[in-house]
Amino acid sequence: FSSPPQVYFTLTLLCQANGYRSFNGTRSAWVTVAFLSILLSFILVSNKKIYILGFLIFIITGSVIFTTVPNFNNRLKSIIYFSDRSISERFICWNGTIDMISDNPIIGIGIGRYREVYKDKYKPDDAKLTLHHSHNNFLQILAEMGIVGFIPYLIMNIYFIYYKIKG
């Protein structure tokens, strides 16, 4: 980033986009909003007293929301406790996806075929749900496109991050 306003604008957009998503119960958005809010305030606030005050307000506001709204409270608990069925299903799914990648490492199974192939061949016996995707972009791309598709994806992401930071 070439200037503080550019940093502020970019991080604000990310926070807002994920903030809107957080109201539908998306746990990854909540974690992202929290992380970006803390990062944004750390970058932009040079006065430590103001930073600490803002951080405390953020924690108190978040605590009030998550403890008084039942849906938020239950979803937050599912981030922390791996006994939640949604979280355990993801770990089970990832194991099946890793097997899929091992069997098709070079070119993968084909774009858009994850659900069908997972359900027919790689869904572990202890999985209760048939997930539509792997809930992990890296595993999903490796499974569907293999190393041939994953390397350009990785290079593109590294390139974007590097040049965004470099300015």
Side-chain angles (χ1 to χ4, degrees):
F1 299 105
S2 60
S3 67
Q6 209 176 12
V7 171
Y8 174 75
F9 179 73
T10 302
L11 291 177
T12 301
L13 283 178
L14 289 171
C15 286
Q16 286 177 344
N18 280 299
Y20 296 132
R21 285 181 49 212
S22 68
F23 288 107
N24 71 8
T26 306
R27 290 169 290 215
S28 63
W30 295 351
V31 172
T32 305
V33 166
F35 174 76
L36 288 177
S37 297
I38 292 167
L39 179 66
L40 177 63
S41 61
F42 183 74
I43 290 171
L44 298 176
V45 178
S46 58
N47 185 326
K48 288 185 182 182
K49 289 180 183 178
I50 294 174
Y51 175 76
I52 291 171
L53 178 64
F55 183 73
L56 289 174
I57 291 170
F58 176 78
I59 295 296
I60 291 168
T61 304
S63 298
V64 168
I65 290 170
F66 287 121
T67 56
T68 58
V69 180
N71 184 40
F72 287 148
N73 189 6
N74 293 335
R75 295 294 277 180
L76 178 63
K77 286 179 185 173
S78 71
I79 294 172
I80 299 167
Y81 302 111
F82 291 134
S83 60
D84 179 73
R85 189 71 197 159
S86 174
I87 301 297
S88 61
E89 281 292 323
R90 289 180 190 205
F91 285 118
I92 292 168
C93 175
W94 292 341
N95 287 331
T97 305
I98 289 168
D99 292 340
M100 189 185 303
I101 294 165
S102 297
D103 290 346
N104 306 282
I106 306 299
I107 61 170
I109 58 166
I111 297 174
R113 296 193 61 225
Y114 179 85
R115 180 179 184 196
E116 165 195 342
V117 174
Y118 176 76
K119 181 178 146 188
D120 293 343
K121 188 174 179 188
Y122 294 98
K123 181 179 173 186
D125 294 334
D126 54 343
K128 303 283 188 249
L129 303 172
T130 300
L131 302 176
H132 301 284
H133 55 89
S134 70
H135 287 275
N136 181 311
N137 290 341
F138 295 108
L139 290 179
Q140 183 85 23
I141 296 210
L142 268 168
E144 290 190 350
M145 295 190 282
I147 293 170
V148 169
F150 182 73
I151 289 174
Y153 173 78
L154 194 60
I155 289 170
M156 178 185 68
N157 280 291
I158 291 169
Y159 176 85
F160 174 76
I161 292 168
Y162 175 77
Y163 282 101
K164 246 342 198 182
I165 290 171
K166 185 178 176 186

